[in-house]
């Protein structure tokens, strides 16, 4: 494939669900431009009407909020409390939750919410994580299966009509059709944008993984047909989402950032789990970019940084593997560092990676022409 780069930001057409459109911008940049036409005051009034509709039901809980303790889920909780909702917050407990992640989760709960911390059978989770890494070069498939199913399962069990998510990542980071509903997280959305390599729990059932052992990953309808169908909505539809803005608001309510960047560009993102950095770094092998490209592209769109400065940041930081987290992952899955990189190498995208005469790997038509390979 010919690698094409957005003329406005730092993203290539190798990014899943992203298109370089006729004007030279990527679909994420064009989505951002189109959002400027949004009447946010009207959207706010729409949310107020929704809150009234929910409150009129006089339920035990008004909504479920999926939370990790990160700055976005803290912002979601703050917003819902601000508008008078009584949420039940639900967390999938990552097997490698960090101390700052635990601290921020406890801070979120202290805002005044009930909370469920859902732990999956650690033996199954470990085996599935390694299996997904071997099969798809992804360490995050079990994570996303859990994140997108457990909160809805809880909502259905407690007969809570709404699940309130954060931003619509398909709009913010990739290609989202105008025909699709920007407000609702549907099963189709999960299939297309849920970062599970288009798999569902049923696709992982095998001799190694029985259906019951994978029950946390299954859709809420799987075991009982009398469950209510909660509606999953994006809070970012009603209120403009901006990572810097959600961080500043969350910080006022006690959220803590890292002292240094864990992955990407922001000190306040992707800090609650030790394996998420590996997920983002593997994009380098598969797509020719990493998390820092995503983050800096958001900064460019919000006009907080120029494209030329963003490119200099990438040049100065380079693309280094998160060796400490890789070591933790290897210990967790009981594999060697060599095995890890051997598995990762299988998923290097040969459509974009080539070898020069000296046998050195490089990316054809890379965004930085004099990159030191």
């Amino acid at each position: 494939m010919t690698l094409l780069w957005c003329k406005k930001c730092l993203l290539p057409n190798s990014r899943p669900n992203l298109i370089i459109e006729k004007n030279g911008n990527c679909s994420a940049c064009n989505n951002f431009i189109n959002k400027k036409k949004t009447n946010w005051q009207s959207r706010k009034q729409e949310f107020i009407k929704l809150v009234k509709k929910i409150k009129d039901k006089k339920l035990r809980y008004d909504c479920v909020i999926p939370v990790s303790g990160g700055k976005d889920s803290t912002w979601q909780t703050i917003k819902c409390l601000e508008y008078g909702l009584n949420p039940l917050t639900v967390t999938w407990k990552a097997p490698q939750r960090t101390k700052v992640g635990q601290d921020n989760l406890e801070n979120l709960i202290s805002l005044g919410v009930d909370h469920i911390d859902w732990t999956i059978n650690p033996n199954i989770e470990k085996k599935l994580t390694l299996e997904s890494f071997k099969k798809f070069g992804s360490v995050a498939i079990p994570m996303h299966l859990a994140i997108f199913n457990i909160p809805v399962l809880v909502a259905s069990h407690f007969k809570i009509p709404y699940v309130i998510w954060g931003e619509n990542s398909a709009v913010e980071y990739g290609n989202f059709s105008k025909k699709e509903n920007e407000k609702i997280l549907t099963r189709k959305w999960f299939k297309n944008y849920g970062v599970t390599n288009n798999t569902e729990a049923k696709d992982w059932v095998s001799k190694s993984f029985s259906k019951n052992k994978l029950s946390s990953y299954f859709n809420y309808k799987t075991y009982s047909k009398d469950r209510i169908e909660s509606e999953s909505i994006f809070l970012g539809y009603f209120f403009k989402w901006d990572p810097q803005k959600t961080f500043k608001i969350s910080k006022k309510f006690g959220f803590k950032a890292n002292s240094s960047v864990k992955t990407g560009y922001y000190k306040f993102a992707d800090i609650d789990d030790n394996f998420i950095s590996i997920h983002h770094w593997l994009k380098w092998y598969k797509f020719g970019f990493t998390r820092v490209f995503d983050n800096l592209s958001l900064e460019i769109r919000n006009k907080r940084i120029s494209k030329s400065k963003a490119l200099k940041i990438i040049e100065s930081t380079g693309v280094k593997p998160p060796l400490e987290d890789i070591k933790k992952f290897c210990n967790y899955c009981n594999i060697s560092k060599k095995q890890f990189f051997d598995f990762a190498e299988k998923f290097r995208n040969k459509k974009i990676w080539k070898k020069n005469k000296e046998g050195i790997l490089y990316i054809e038509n890379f965004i930085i022409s004099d990159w030191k390979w």
Side-chain angles (χ1 to χ4, degrees):
M1 69 179 289
T2 301
L3 205 61
L4 302 175
W5 298 85
C6 177
K7 73 175 186 180
K8 186 176 180 65
C9 74
L10 309 180
L11 297 183
N13 61 337
S14 56
R15 195 187 201 286
N17 299 310
L18 186 121
I19 297 170
I20 305 299
E21 299 184 356
K22 290 181 180 179
N23 63 355
N25 291 347
C26 70
S27 45
C29 281
N30 283 337
N31 284 344
F32 185 86
I33 293 168
N34 290 333
K35 279 179 71 176
K36 290 181 179 180
K37 303 172 186 176
T38 301
N39 185 334
W40 292 106
Q41 187 59 35
S42 175
R43 293 275 182 93
K44 177 182 174 181
Q45 292 303 315
E46 190 178 344
F47 186 71
I48 290 171
K49 289 179 182 178
L50 176 64
V51 170
K52 185 179 185 306
K53 179 182 175 182
I54 295 172
K55 297 298 289 183
D56 285 346
K57 294 179 184 294
K58 301 186 187 305
L59 301 171
R60 178 186 299 186
Y61 295 106
D62 295 321
C63 61
V64 162
I65 307 178
V67 301
S68 65
K71 45 91 181 172
D72 287 329
S73 57
T74 301
W75 170 73
Q76 288 161 241
T77 305
I78 291 165
K79 274 291 179 189
C80 287
L81 291 174
E82 179 185 338
Y83 282 85
L85 290 171
N86 177 35
L88 173 60
T89 57
V90 178
T91 303
W92 158 73
K93 188 175 183 180
Q96 284 279 311
R97 182 182 287 167
T98 61
K99 184 182 184 303
V100 68
Q102 182 64 41
D103 289 345
N104 282 325
L105 181 58
E106 290 174 6
N107 176 71
L108 183 153
I109 297 165
S110 74
L111 296 175
V113 292
D114 287 355
H115 176 253
I116 292 174
D117 208 3
W118 188 298
T119 302
I120 293 174
N121 179 331
N123 299 322
I124 293 297
E125 191 165 50
K126 185 181 297 186
K127 285 172 63 179
L128 186 59
T129 300
L130 180 57
E131 185 66 22
S132 69
F133 179 49
K134 288 179 178 179
K135 190 171 183 178
F136 293 109
S138 172
V139 303
I141 289 175
M143 172 196 302
H144 290 106
L145 285 172
I147 287 171
F148 287 113
N149 280 297
I150 291 171
V152 182
L153 178 62
V154 171
S156 175
H157 180 78
F158 284 97
K159 295 182 170 56
I160 302 170
Y162 289 95
V163 181
I164 299 182
W165 303 82
E167 85 279 15
N168 185 332
S169 57
V171 173
E172 304 296 343
Y173 291 103
N175 181 40
F176 193 72
S177 169
K178 292 179 181 178
K179 295 179 181 178
E180 295 179 281
N181 191 328
E182 188 181 337
K183 179 169 61 174
I184 309 296
L185 194 166
T186 62
R187 293 302 297 175
K188 183 180 178 182
W189 186 100
F190 168 70
K191 189 81 171 175
N192 290 338
Y193 310 115
V195 200
T196 63
N197 284 77
N198 294 315
T199 66
E200 296 179 272
K202 64 181 181 180
D203 301 313
W204 293 96
V205 175
S206 65
K207 290 181 180 179
S208 300
F209 305 107
S210 68
K211 182 178 176 181
N212 284 349
K213 291 293 185 181
L214 295 175
S215 60
S216 291
Y217 302 113
F218 270 93
N219 181 275
Y220 70 98
K221 288 183 178 179
T222 304
Y223 292 94
S224 178
K225 293 182 179 179
D226 64 350
R227 301 289 191 195
I228 73 156
E229 184 167 2
S230 302
E231 188 170 43
S232 286
I233 60 174
F234 293 109
L235 196 60
Y237 170 82
F238 302 99
F239 303 98
K240 186 178 179 182
W241 179 83
D242 177 341
Q244 296 280 9
K245 183 179 178 180
T246 60
F247 166 61
K248 288 178 182 177
I249 293 170
S250 298
K251 186 180 178 182
K252 288 180 182 178
F253 286 82
F255 175 84
K256 297 176 184 175
N258 255 350
S259 56
S260 59
V261 174
K262 185 173 180 65
T263 179
Y265 178 67
Y266 302 128
K267 291 181 180 180
F268 50 75
D270 303 317
I271 61 176
D272 51 354
D273 171 57
N274 283 323
F275 294 162
I276 192 66
S277 62
I278 302 170
H279 167 68
H280 290 310
W281 176 72
L282 285 167
K283 293 176 185 175
W284 182 237
Y285 279 41
K286 297 176 181 179
F287 313 121
F289 72 99
T290 64
R291 184 63 159 175
V292 72
F293 288 66
D294 276 324
N295 293 161
L296 287 171
S297 292
L298 287 171
E299 293 302 294
I300 291 169
R301 289 179 206 129
N302 282 289
K303 297 184 177 179
R304 289 189 286 260
I305 195 170
S306 66
K307 184 173 181 176
S308 59
K309 186 175 180 180
L311 287 169
K312 287 179 181 178
I313 290 171
I314 291 174
E315 282 187 277
S316 64
T317 57
V319 179
K320 300 174 184 177
L323 293 176
E324 281 300 312
D325 288 348
I326 288 172
K327 181 180 178 181
K328 290 171 184 173
F329 180 81
C330 290
N331 289 337
Y332 174 72
C333 289
N334 195 27
I335 60 173
S336 67
K337 183 178 174 182
K338 181 181 183 305
Q339 284 176 307
F340 174 88
F341 282 100
D342 285 346
F343 287 135
E345 191 62 39
K346 292 178 182 178
F347 297 94
R348 190 184 291 275
N349 187 346
K350 292 181 175 59
K351 292 180 180 179
I352 62 172
W353 285 93
K354 307 296 178 183
K355 278 188 179 180
N356 62 19
K357 293 178 181 179
E358 289 76 34
I360 296 172
L361 285 162
Y362 71 99
I363 296 174
E364 273 193 325
N365 196 34
F366 191 56
I367 194 169
I368 299 172
S369 57
D370 57 348
W371 185 262
K372 295 179 180 179
W373 301 102

